[in-house]
Amino acid sequence: MSTKHTACIAMLSVSVTALLAASLATKVAAQPAAGQAARADAGTISGVVSGAKGPEAGVWVIAETTDLPTKYVKIVVTDDQGRYLLPDMPKANYTVWVRGYGLVDSPKVKAAPGATLNLKSVAAPSRAAAAQYYPGIYWYSMLKIPDAKLFPGTGPSGNGMPTTMTDQGLWLRYIKTDGCIHCHQIGDKATRTLEPELGHFDTSAAAWERRLQSGQASATMVTTIGMFDAQRALALFGDWTDRVAKGELPKTDPERPQGRERNVVITEWDWGTPTTYMHDAISTDKRDPTVNGHGLIYGAPEESSDMVPWLDPIDNTAGFIKSEYRDPKTPTTKNSVMYAPSPYWGSQTIWDSHTIIHNPMFDERGRLWLTARIRPAANPAFCKVGSDQPSAKIYPKNTSNRQVEVYDPKTQKVTMIDLCFNTHHLQFDKNETLWFSAGGPYDVIGWLDVKKWDQTHDDKASQGWSPFVLDTNGNGKRDAGWTEPGQPTDPTKDKRIDAGLYGVGPNPQDGSIWGSVTGFPGGVVRYDPKTQLSEYYEFPYKNPKAKVWGFSPRGSDMASDGVIWSVLASGHVASFDRRLCKGKLNGPAAADAQNVCPEGFTLYKMPGPDFEGLPKGTTGAGAEAPYYVWVDQHNTLGLGENVPVVTGDEADSLNALVDGKWVVMRIPYPMSFFAKNLDGRIDDAKIGWKGKGLWSLYSDRSAPHIEGGKGQRSKVIHVQYRPDPLAK
């Protein structure tokens, strides 16, 4: 139906279509006055959502189509009068419905761009029905946590808790970010219930043990549950699912979007396949977010595939490029251990990746760089003892788990670069040096001089790496003959530490390289390329000098003012500002990481419920377990420069911290949004909010956990922030 035709119908106050569908929707054209829809045009769908008590504020209107080359979804939030406007709708036939907390999904209505579509919400007949739409965190918060009196564990002959479990916070670390929520949202329907396909078991604890033995990730899951009190944890998970099955509900309810949270526009596209999972996605160069404007989005399929997915958000198409590896003996995940069949895929091997690509990054020329395995672990001779390579002469390396490759969209060619050190995440500094994290507490930081490599294509000469060495003798330089990890500090020598970075980011202010260091309580490290010295700052935990305690970081990112941000398993996002440090940062005291500069940390508790059985104020009680924080250096979202945006992996959300307050941006459909990555791009600065936004993705390792079950694929997410809920 044309815009002109729609307007004529509105003027006559007659619509045959509206009369036929009156129980579901009413099509009327009107000005955006109180209780009336915004004016529709050829590229929008708009209307008013109302319920039994009047306008429905803060609920989602979802429009979905399969008419385009890949499945497409647009989601907006109603304003305080129940009005909504879906902007920039590609020409297609859509299914439109209402979802909101306190509701069940409304009947689905057919519509096309240009329609004015009034919708009726459906109140949930019970709290149990409403809770089926709650994010996983509300269900996961019902899990019982072992009492603090059981820590430290005294073993089988004592309190039954393993002696390795020295602190309740350590147990919480593994039940959250560095364990169970490492790969999945826990608490969604797929995990709070037990699949019948697992078989019959005498106890739900036994069913959980069998669940963890399922599929190609079984070795990782079994290893993870073994890192803490496995039998107790299985019993607690079994008790949790039993209580859910008997009808127990979360103690708290989520709030509907409020205020500026209603200004978001969410667009989704399917990509990849039902058997692959995506870890990261990239849209632009972090230093200049106008690079690759309107261009393809690329993903990292990690252990699932060698095929790198791409999405064209303009043509709504998706496809793949093939990553490469040099050595035919490069291992494949196809041979990974599978202890028992998957309830979704049986004994089918669904993953087959040699390159295990983890993280993509754009450079200023629009080339795509990816951390990728191109060979077996054994390093070439130039990395090892006896080499004249400058870094190898100081600290030789025998193995590396991943290297790097670069894809040029102009030539469609992949070039592999051999590196001597582990690679996990990567970031460019302003001098075109590419810095790499190792992904865990390993022994070196590595880099690639891309300018030199472009000129020479000499892998050996273009790279370097350095151990992490503290200036514990206080002379301002890195000396030979340092003390090793585990050895006492010697005030006459420097000290080497294992502080391999998980996240990595250059400080634009002074060129230093920063990153998070996983562990308990974990910390952040600073590496100075000029002196090749490092500084290590531990997150304050049970430290009387700190106002707030936290532990166990995951992802991190840098602000343009030199402040590093990280997310913690304790349920916090934390900043560290070195400029706030009051004492000396070198000398023997530098080895006391808990007390070097506790005043540099500021911690903010993530929104969402706490674990129900923990006393108020318990460190780590928050059930949220954020995976990643991305700092919006260039205001690509519209909430300001240097705003940290945190993944709410348990809460179907992205969370922006604006002036110390949270702006929660829910991704309500499909449920089980679980992100490990964020990126922001400016496509066209001249057109305001419509020309920029955040990019993210569904990163769950098991796509069948997403609402809709088996057959679902990962989705690319574009989040835009408009000045009001009706802006076109």
Side-chain angles (χ1 to χ4, degrees), residues 136-295:
I137 189 172
Y138 290 86
W139 295 92
Y140 196 48
S141 65
M142 296 165 58
L143 182 73
K144 294 178 181 178
I145 305 298
D147 193 279
K149 295 177 182 178
L150 290 171
F151 302 93
T154 54
S157 61
N159 62 8
M161 182 71 72
T163 56
T164 54
M165 286 290 103
T166 57
D167 191 281
Q168 188 183 52
L170 182 59
W171 205 94
L172 286 164
R173 171 200 176 189
Y174 288 129
I175 207 72
K176 294 203 286 180
T177 312
D178 287 341
C180 299
I181 308 175
H182 173 74
C183 299
H184 308 289
Q185 182 188 103
I186 310 295
D188 56 13
K189 188 174 182 179
T191 54
R192 68 176 181 262
T193 58
L194 290 166
E195 304 92 336
E197 293 83 358
L198 291 172
H200 173 74
F201 300 90
D202 292 337
T203 67
S204 293
W208 265 93
E209 185 173 23
R210 168 61 180 82
R211 165 182 266 177
L212 299 182
Q213 296 170 354
S214 300
Q216 282 186 264
S218 56
T220 299
M221 291 190 288
V222 169
T223 299
T224 297
I225 202 73
M227 289 191 298
F228 57 129
D229 186 8
Q231 293 308 310
R232 192 186 307 268
L234 291 170
L236 291 172
F237 275 121
D239 168 74
W240 173 54
T241 49
D242 283 345
R243 288 185 285 119
V244 169
K246 292 176 181 177
E248 187 173 328
L249 298 173
K251 296 294 188 294
T252 57
D253 306 315
E255 289 187 352
R256 292 183 179 183
Q258 304 290 325
R260 66 176 74 186
E261 296 171 350
R262 298 175 180 175
N263 295 354
V264 296
V265 177
I266 300 160
T267 311
E268 304 176 2
W269 298 261
D270 274 16
W271 68 342
T273 74
T275 60
T276 57
Y277 73 88
M278 306 304 168
H279 193 280
D280 285 3
I282 197 72
S283 67
T284 188
D285 182 347
K286 184 174 177 65
R287 301 161 299 173
D288 179 2
T290 65
V291 169
N292 192 45
H294 299 292

Side-chain angles (χ1 to χ4, degrees), residues 395-699:
Y395 197 83
K397 293 290 295 176
N398 292 325
T399 61
S400 59
N401 66 346
R402 286 188 190 92
Q403 296 75 42
V404 72
E405 58 190 35
V406 56
Y407 170 72
D408 190 337
K410 295 178 181 178
T411 63
Q412 298 185 354
K413 180 181 178 182
V414 173
T415 304
M416 294 162 281
I417 304 171
D418 206 345
L419 300 176
C420 301
F421 45 85
N422 290 352
T423 69
H424 199 66
H425 298 115
L426 68 172
Q427 284 257 11
F428 281 96
D429 67 16
K430 59 185 178 183
N431 298 316
E432 287 299 300
T433 298
L434 189 55
W435 294 89
F436 298 88
S437 75
Y442 299 112
D443 56 347
V444 301
I445 183 172
W447 61 88
L448 178 72
D449 184 335
V450 173
K451 286 183 180 179
K452 179 181 286 188
W453 184 83
D454 278 333
Q455 294 169 355
T456 66
H457 278 220
D458 186 332
D459 296 1
K460 173 183 173 182
S462 302
Q463 67 179 288
W465 62 94
S466 172
F468 296 96
V469 178
L470 305 179
D471 184 21
T472 45
N473 66 7
N475 67 0
K477 61 181 181 178
R478 190 182 73 181
D479 304 307
W482 50 71
T483 60
E484 293 292 340
Q487 294 180 347
T489 300
D490 183 338
T492 68
K493 295 182 178 181
D494 293 333
K495 183 176 182 62
R496 186 179 73 83
I497 60 173
D498 286 331
L501 307 181
Y502 183 81
V504 64
N507 180 346
Q509 297 296 315
D510 64 6
S512 59
I513 310 301
W514 289 78
S516 51
V517 181
T518 58
F520 184 79
V524 295
V525 73
R526 176 184 188 265
Y527 172 74
D528 187 342
K530 299 173 184 176
T531 64
Q532 297 189 325
L533 287 167
S534 297
E535 298 163 5
Y536 180 55
Y537 304 94
E538 201 167 71
F539 286 102
Y541 185 62
K542 297 187 176 179
N543 185 337
K545 298 179 182 179
K547 295 180 180 179
V548 181
W549 300 341
F551 55 80
S552 299
R554 198 74 187 179
S556 65
D557 198 20
M558 294 296 298
S560 61
D561 58 4
V563 174
I564 183 172
W565 291 81
S566 187
V567 289
L568 308 182
S570 54
H572 297 90
V573 62
S575 66
F576 180 80
D577 188 343
R578 187 174 180 264
R579 297 169 298 184
L580 300 178
C581 296
K582 297 177 181 178
K584 288 188 64 176
L585 303 180
N586 63 358
D592 183 9
Q594 184 69 199
N595 293 302
V596 177
C597 181
E599 65 272 16
F601 289 99
T602 304
L603 276 62
Y604 304 86
K605 188 176 182 296
M606 291 288 294
D610 290 354
F611 284 112
E612 292 173 3
L614 290 179
K616 187 175 181 180
T618 300
T619 300
E624 185 56 272
Y627 192 93
Y628 183 60
V629 56
W630 176 82
V631 181
D632 192 358
Q633 294 185 6
H634 304 281
N635 193 23
T636 58
L637 178 59
L639 291 173
E641 293 183 356
N642 285 328
V643 167
V645 185
V646 185
T647 59
D649 294 290
E650 283 292 281
D652 290 342
S653 65
L654 300 174
N655 306 274
L657 185 63
V658 184
D659 298 326
K661 296 182 179 180
W662 290 106
V663 177
V664 179
M665 299 170 284
R666 302 273 191 202
I667 314 297
Y669 174 79
M671 288 182 283
S672 200
F673 173 63
F674 178 90
K676 292 187 175 183
N677 171 250
L678 279 167
D679 190 28
R681 186 170 78 185
I682 299 174
D683 292 314
D684 186 348
K686 297 178 181 178
I687 58 174
W689 71 269
K690 296 181 73 170
K692 59 185 182 179
L694 300 187
W695 295 91
S696 189
L697 72 163
Y698 280 67
S699 297

